[in-house]
Amino acid sequence: VMERWYCTECSSKLLSIVSTNTTANNEIIDSVQEQSNEYLINLGPIDSDTIPQTHSHRWKEQLKQIENNLHSSPTESSPCPCRWNGVLPSNTETMSYSTRRRMQLPTAKIWSGGCECGACRYEITLTRLTQLQHCYCNLCRKLSGSPYSTWLPVDKKHFRWKQSNSVTLVRTTPFGQRHICNKCRGIMTIVYDEQPNLIWPCAGGLDDATLPDSSDEMGSLLSIVCHICCRN
């Protein structure tokens, strides 16, 4: 049994509890002495100043290893590699970023996504190259529970909600709002005040089944991949 704990006020993701409170026959164990719980603390909410420097910079070295591994392939231990694993944009040597960011796709791509509980669903029609921004700001880390959140910009006219009864647009910063599921507290998007024509879905909410099968193909759909709000 897995329990996920979050703040009901701000939707910050705090920890998960793996509980073995059932027998082989799925009978619930009532005795506290017989219960066994494992607490998995999310890294995102941990105060950066309390992490030793020897550990706080380790992610940078791991990130280099991931980004250098552009041609990951399935293995027995990992039969279905993540579509984002080591992905970088294509044509960076022959085409400037200003050109790539305006580049239209010959055929539109239809991506879908949603929250964990399934109450919120959306669809994206990708008509031009997009980008990935890995954000390490304090708010993104707390709301996701992970060391960073990944966002991609989409034209609002090419984003539509397929199911949105439990979605609330919440003011989370002085300059932006987030769509949040009221049921599972999943963070769906960011909408910046100064970008009225754009919406930024969280890449983690995208359905794997609608994404390209390889990091190379994913890279051909990106104008840039960047890391923002990183602490030295």
Side-chain angles (χ1 to χ4, degrees):
V1 179
M2 172 75 78
E3 295 180 354
R4 301 186 188 276
W5 289 60
Y6 56 82
C7 175
T8 57
E9 295 293 329
C10 68
S11 301
S12 291
K13 311 306 183 297
L14 304 174
L15 74 156
S16 298
I17 301 177
V18 182
S19 178
T20 56
N21 295 343
T22 58
T23 66
N25 297 322
N26 292 325
E27 297 175 351
I28 298 177
I29 298 174
D30 294 325
S31 173
V32 176
Q33 287 76 15
E34 297 181 44
Q35 295 180 6
S36 176
N37 294 331
E38 181 180 7
Y39 290 75
L40 304 176
I41 307 300
N42 291 345
L43 288 176
I46 295 178
D47 294 333
S48 300
D49 295 339
T50 64
I51 303 175
Q53 286 192 350
T54 54
H55 293 78
S56 62
H57 295 289
R58 187 174 297 173
W59 65 267
K60 295 181 180 180
E61 294 302 320
Q62 294 175 340
L63 190 61
K64 290 179 183 178
Q65 295 175 13
I66 293 174
E67 290 193 340
N68 288 333
N69 183 20
L70 297 182
H71 302 286
S72 60
S73 58
T75 63
E76 291 184 3
S77 61
S78 180
C80 184
C82 177
R83 304 324 198 265
W84 313 106
N85 183 24
V87 64
L88 289 175
S90 305
N91 302 320
T92 55
E93 297 181 358
T94 60
M95 193 181 302
S96 67
Y97 167 64
S98 60
T99 300
R100 294 196 306 273
R101 67 191 297 267
R102 296 191 300 269
M103 187 174 174
Q104 299 291 314
L105 298 177
T107 304
K109 306 293 183 181
I110 307 298
W111 292 352
S112 62
C115 63
E116 176 62 26
C117 71
C120 306
R121 298 290 301 165
Y122 59 80
E123 184 177 87
I124 296 169
T125 302
L126 200 66
T127 60
R128 60 187 176 93
L129 296 190
T130 186
Q131 59 179 272
L132 296 180
Q133 287 195 8
H134 307 300
C135 181
Y136 300 81
C137 79
N138 186 55
L139 182 58
C140 278
R141 288 190 285 111
K142 280 182 166 57
L143 291 180
S144 68
S146 63
Y148 62 91
S149 291
T150 301
W151 309 93
L152 64 154
V154 177
D155 295 324
K156 267 190 177 180
K157 62 182 179 181
H158 293 143
F159 178 98
R160 73 178 183 91
W161 290 104
K162 299 175 65 176
Q163 194 169 324
S164 60
N165 292 337
S166 67
V167 172
T168 300
L169 187 60
V170 180
R171 170 68 61 180
T172 51
T173 68
F175 47 82
Q177 304 176 81
R178 283 172 168 81
H179 285 102
I180 300 177
C181 175
N182 297 329
K183 293 184 177 179
C184 67
R185 300 290 176 170
I187 309 300
M188 300 285 94
T189 76
I190 292 180
V191 181
Y192 291 108
D193 297 341
E194 294 184 356
Q195 296 178 333
N197 297 322
L198 287 180
I199 187 169
W200 292 72
C202 184
L206 293 173
D207 298 329
D208 286 346
T210 63
L211 299 177
D213 293 328
S214 69
S215 57
D216 287 340
E217 186 179 354
M218 179 67 78
S220 69
L221 303 176
L222 302 175
S223 60
I224 193 173
V225 175
C226 57
H227 302 267
I228 63 175
C229 301
C230 302
R231 295 189 60 177
N232 295 325

